[in-house]
Amino acid sequence: GVANYNEKSAQVLASSALIEDQLSAKVAVNHLERDGFVKNTHLGKSVDDKKQNNIAISLYWTPSEDWSATLYMDYGEVDGGAYPYVPEASKPNRGDDLKTAFDVEGVFDQTSKGMALNVDWNLTPEWTLSSVSGYRKIDTFGRFDADLAVTPDATSTLVDTWIREKDYFQEIRLVSTPHVLPIDWIVGAAYYKVTENNNNQAAMKASKMALTKTAGDFERDTYTAYVDAIWRFAPTWSLNLGGRYTKENYEIDSSFY
């Protein structure tokens, strides 16, 4: 594909059976790059250009009628400028030909990779047990103009930000086959953990000397248990009852220099 703002994109998708009636695979790759929509008149380049690449691979395994498994893996990267900020007073009536002026070139770089495993067991004709496990790691770096304006190099400052995030997820779910039992049931429990290690500093553009630094470690643990029941007591009537309990623990450790 091609579009205005010098945009170019491509996607390739392939799928095939690796073992007939047992194992199949799918691969997807896509690429996109374009110029930005907002022009930095001071540096003579766009503020919010973008380039991204992604690849995803999934495997579906059905070794028997009793159980199946799906494995999903992906990797992506985004390189671009900072999110465009245009002062309200200088916004034109139309959405194109936007302009602004910074003396620091913005940066937004992010990589993300993750995987998920979903396993289903047909315990009996009436019940299915499912497990969902997930992991994701996201690393982000951003650079921004501290005052969103043009100032002399001796006083110009920039802000650098690093965010390193890791997510973990596990869920176990027991589900009854719909319309087989007098009541349809869903019972499950899940655990979700998020950790972040963040750093931020404001520095002089010319000397690279740091003026302030902050660092923080963030952790959140979420525990959830739930039950849901549907009683179809008449051809056109049903009663749905459910409950959910969630507990979250937060822990934050931050420092300022």
Side-chain angles (χ1 to χ4, degrees), residues 21-23 59-71 117-124 127-131:
D21 297 327
Q22 287 195 27
L23 181 63
L59 299 171
Y60 182 56
W61 190 28
T62 54
S64 71
E65 296 181 355
D66 295 330
W67 68 284
S68 62
T70 302
L71 177 63
L117 176 63
N118 188 344
V119 181
D120 295 323
W121 294 275
N122 296 321
L123 301 178
T124 67
W127 295 96
T128 299
L129 181 65
S130 300
S131 170

Side-chain angles (χ1 to χ4, degrees), residues 29-250:
V29 180
N30 65 67
H31 167 80
L32 182 144
E33 60 179 293
R34 63 158 173 78
D35 297 335
F37 306 126
V38 179
K39 180 71 176 296
N40 186 336
T41 57
H42 180 72
L43 297 179
K45 59 179 64 177
S46 61
V47 175
D48 54 330
D49 58 300
K50 185 177 184 180
K51 180 179 180 180
Q52 67 180 36
N53 295 289
N54 296 279
I55 180 171
I57 301 173
S58 60
L59 299 171
Y60 182 56
W61 190 28
T62 54
S64 71
E65 296 181 355
D66 295 330
W67 68 284
S68 62
T70 302
L71 177 63
Y72 176 85
M73 299 171 287
D74 71 86
Y75 174 83
E77 56 185 19
V78 178
D79 299 321
Y83 185 82
Y85 171 82
V86 181
E88 188 69 32
S90 65
K91 285 184 180 180
N93 292 329
R94 296 177 57 196
D96 45 0
D97 301 324
L98 295 175
K99 296 178 176 65
T100 188
F102 300 157
D103 53 25
V104 173
E105 183 177 359
V107 176
F108 178 83
D109 293 340
Q110 184 178 80
T111 61
S112 173
K113 53 186 175 182
M115 62 183 301
L117 176 63
N118 188 344
V119 181
D120 295 323
W121 294 275
N122 296 321
L123 301 178
T124 67
E126 295 83 15
W127 295 96
T128 299
L129 181 65
S130 300
S131 170
V132 180
S133 307
Y135 169 77
R136 180 157 301 279
K137 184 176 186 290
I138 305 173
D139 293 320
T140 306
F141 170 73
R143 171 169 289 175
F144 310 93
D145 190 323
D147 54 11
L148 300 174
V150 176
T151 54
D153 285 347
T155 59
S156 178
T157 57
L158 55 85
V159 176
D160 286 341
T161 300
W162 296 265
I163 302 175
R164 292 165 287 270
E165 178 181 345
K166 293 181 180 180
D167 301 340
Y168 308 87
F169 179 79
Q170 177 63 53
E171 181 176 11
I172 300 293
R173 183 172 60 246
L174 184 64
V175 181
S176 65
T177 303
H179 305 289
V180 173
L181 299 176
I183 298 178
D184 294 339
W185 293 92
I186 300 177
V187 181
Y191 171 68
Y192 181 43
K193 183 181 185 69
V194 179
T195 64
E196 283 189 18
N197 173 252
N198 303 334
N199 299 89
N200 183 292
Q201 74 172 19
M204 303 298 296
K205 175 185 174 183
S207 64
K208 307 298 184 184
M209 181 182 68
L211 303 175
T212 61
K213 292 183 179 181
T214 61
D217 290 314
F218 167 82
E219 184 174 304
R220 184 184 71 198
D221 296 284
T222 304
Y223 306 86
T224 300
Y226 57 88
V227 60
D228 190 85
I230 299 178
W231 178 32
R232 296 180 174 87
F233 57 89
T236 57
W237 290 88
S238 64
L239 178 64
N240 187 192
L241 296 175
R244 175 182 293 268
Y245 173 79
T246 298
K247 179 181 180 181
E248 290 188 330
N249 295 327
Y250 291 86

